[in-house]
Amino acid sequence: MRPFHHGAAFWTLGTLALAACGPAPAPKAPSSEDLATEDMGEMQPAAAPVAPAPEPPKLRLPCAENDLVGCTNGCNDAVVEDCVTLGAMYLRGDVVRTDPTRAVDLFRGACTSGSARGCMKLGDLYHDGTLKDDPTEEVTLYRKACDAGANRGCLAAGKAYLEGRVVGVDPVFAATLFTRVCERGNAEACLELGRLYNRGHGVRKDPARATTLFTKACQLGLDEGCLTADPSGEVAPPRQ
């Protein structure tokens, strides 16, 4: 009886199994779609370009009252207050030849653009009689200046309503305008308002309130307010 060799048997069985299974398949070459998919996976989205930060606006100081070139350039660049200053030059005639028509056009354009100074300059021309086409424009322009923040516009309009100059007398509205600018710290408006309270004109008569307003006018630096608050001149409140 021939001896049984275990190693040989295992070798023979392994060989038969491999033969039955056939040769191992060759690795599959990647297709073009696979390569495209890999490339897409490795690609990173492009970063959006960063826009440069806008430059801050350059600070532009108003032109000087005698700088004809600077004011002309500023006005041409739509710097409204430079147009007002330029108009004042044409009105004075000390830097450039006098041209009232040009001055009026510049003031009117500036006022239309919301310049309190422009409205005041134009209102003053109606007030002093330089412009006579429509006298009521004086008060209209002063009220526009007042609404744009000019204390003197409120004061001038209030006086016009108080005196009935080119408009109907309206002390109540005058008191309203004086109150507005007195609260802003305008000494003359406080003085005018105090007089109304002292007389009871347009407001209820209130001498104590009048004295308070005269004192405030004094404290704001108006000598007439000090004298009205204390006609003797012996007691003057401290100035602010």
Side-chain angles (χ1 to χ4, degrees):
M1 183 175 180
R2 295 180 62 185
F4 182 75
H5 297 285
H6 293 284
F10 286 135
W11 181 87
T12 303
L13 291 173
T15 303
L16 293 174
L18 288 172
C21 292
K28 182 181 177 182
S31 65
S32 59
E33 292 182 1
D34 294 335
L35 292 173
T37 302
E38 286 184 8
D39 290 342
M40 289 296 292
E42 293 176 358
M43 290 177 62
Q44 298 295 326
V50 179
E55 293 185 5
K58 295 181 179 179
L59 178 63
R60 184 167 188 168
L61 297 174
C63 64
E65 63 177 12
N66 59 353
D67 182 4
L68 178 62
V69 174
C71 290
T72 301
N73 291 337
C75 187
N76 290 339
D77 290 340
V79 181
V80 177
E81 295 306 320
D82 284 2
C83 294
V84 179
T85 306
L86 181 62
M89 290 185 200
Y90 281 107
L91 197 62
R92 295 193 312 268
D94 56 350
V95 178
V96 66
R97 180 177 296 179
T98 305
D99 189 342
T101 301
R102 174 67 173 149
V104 168
D105 288 343
L106 289 167
F107 295 153
R108 197 176 300 280
C111 180
T112 301
S113 298
S115 168
R117 284 178 64 227
C119 296
M120 282 300 307
K121 292 286 188 182
L122 199 56
D124 289 344
L125 292 178
Y126 279 100
H127 180 72
D128 64 20
T130 301
L131 295 177
K132 302 177 181 179
D133 57 301
D134 184 359
T136 61
E137 275 290 286
E138 174 191 336
V139 180
T140 299
L141 290 162
Y142 284 149
R143 288 187 60 181
K144 283 184 177 181
C146 176
D147 292 339
N151 288 349
R152 195 166 72 83
C154 302
L155 189 62
K159 287 181 177 180
Y161 280 104
L162 196 60
E163 299 165 6
R165 188 177 67 251
V166 304
V167 289
V169 176
D170 191 345
V172 175
F173 188 57
T176 300
L177 293 172
F178 294 152
T179 299
R180 184 190 302 183
V181 285
C182 177
E183 290 175 350
R184 294 178 188 167
N186 182 275
E188 191 174 351
C190 294
L191 177 66
E192 293 292 343
L193 186 60
R195 287 170 173 166
L196 295 182
Y197 274 103
N198 201 39
R199 302 197 311 266
H201 190 46
V203 292
R204 182 177 295 180
K205 188 171 182 177
D206 188 343
R209 172 69 173 153
T211 300
T212 299
L213 289 164
F214 295 147
T215 302
K216 183 176 180 178
C218 176
Q219 291 175 330
L220 290 169
L222 187 64
D223 290 339
E224 191 174 355
C226 302
L227 294 174
T228 309
D230 179 25
S232 68
E234 296 177 359
V235 179
R239 298 293 176 86
Q240 290 184 358

